[in-house]
Amino acid sequence: MVNKIRKVTHCIFDMDGLLLDTEYIYQNILRDLVESYGSSYPWDTQMKIMGTTEQKTVSIIVNDLKLTCTEEEFLKKYRQRQLVELANARLMRGAERLILHLSENHIPIAVATSSGASAVEVKTKNHRDVFDLFDHTVMGSSDAGVLEGKPAPDIFLVAAARFPDHPCPEQCLVFEDAPNGVEAAVSAGMQVVMVPDRSIQPELRKHATVVLDSLEDFQPELFGLPAFR
């Protein structure tokens, strides 16, 4: 799938499910916690929380599923499990190659993740050689500048504004895996390369500029970026 494409100068990357193979870890943690309160974890709830901040994720789960706990109690347990289980997250296919290529060609790059600072530190500690190449990282669950999480556009607008040359949204290309993230990027006025999980239905992919099976399939030259050699 390819929509009309414009040239860009800056790239902004989601993290979970796009750069790091963490989505199954998060889903397992959440499923275990939900089941510990005697509830099931339905697919529509899983889809609703994709790409949201930790606080929003917990609010949706606790309230939609009517769990017998407070949001604060669930969030505390959720974060405790993250610190243990996210440490061994692997890079997604094609992620390292693309980041190295953009960095070597002096393309400004940033991360815009809904995760908080503590979770990001755990997830990236074994991949510092890659994540240190980013100009900056915006962490939606702990960044005061991000007033609303995805699907609101805030996180991508903040990420763009923190590049030293302050590019306009039209100059930025977002890489996402989740429908909420795609919606946020489009709302920010940015183009989006979507690399969705196979379970994401076609109607939830239609707003992306390009939809790929993996980052290995990305063609930078389509967006006016240096081609792979």
Side-chain angles (χ1 to χ4, degrees), residues 96-112:
E96 183 171 11
R97 171 178 177 252
L98 177 55
I99 298 309
L100 289 172
H101 172 73
L102 295 174
S103 178
E104 289 169 356
N105 285 279
H106 309 291
I107 303 300
I109 52 177
V111 171

Side-chain angles (χ1 to χ4, degrees), residues 127-148:
H127 309 289
R128 290 315 319 170
D129 55 332
V130 173
F131 284 94
D132 285 345
L133 298 175
F134 287 94
D135 294 83
H136 58 274
T137 298
V138 180
M139 295 165 279
S141 292
S142 57
D143 193 311
V146 181
L147 301 182
E148 295 287 339

Side-chain angles (χ1 to χ4, degrees), residues 31-50:
R31 182 176 292 104
D32 286 349
L33 289 175
V34 167
E35 290 177 352
S36 74
Y37 290 101
S39 181
S40 61
Y41 186 37
W43 176 247
D44 59 342
T45 301
Q46 295 178 44
M47 290 301 300
K48 191 183 293 188
I49 68 167
M50 281 190 71

Side-chain angles (χ1 to χ4, degrees), residues 171-190:
Q171 294 175 280
C172 297
L173 178 62
V174 170
F175 292 80
E176 262 286 356
D177 68 303
N180 279 332
V182 171
E183 183 179 344
V186 171
S187 295
M190 301 175 184

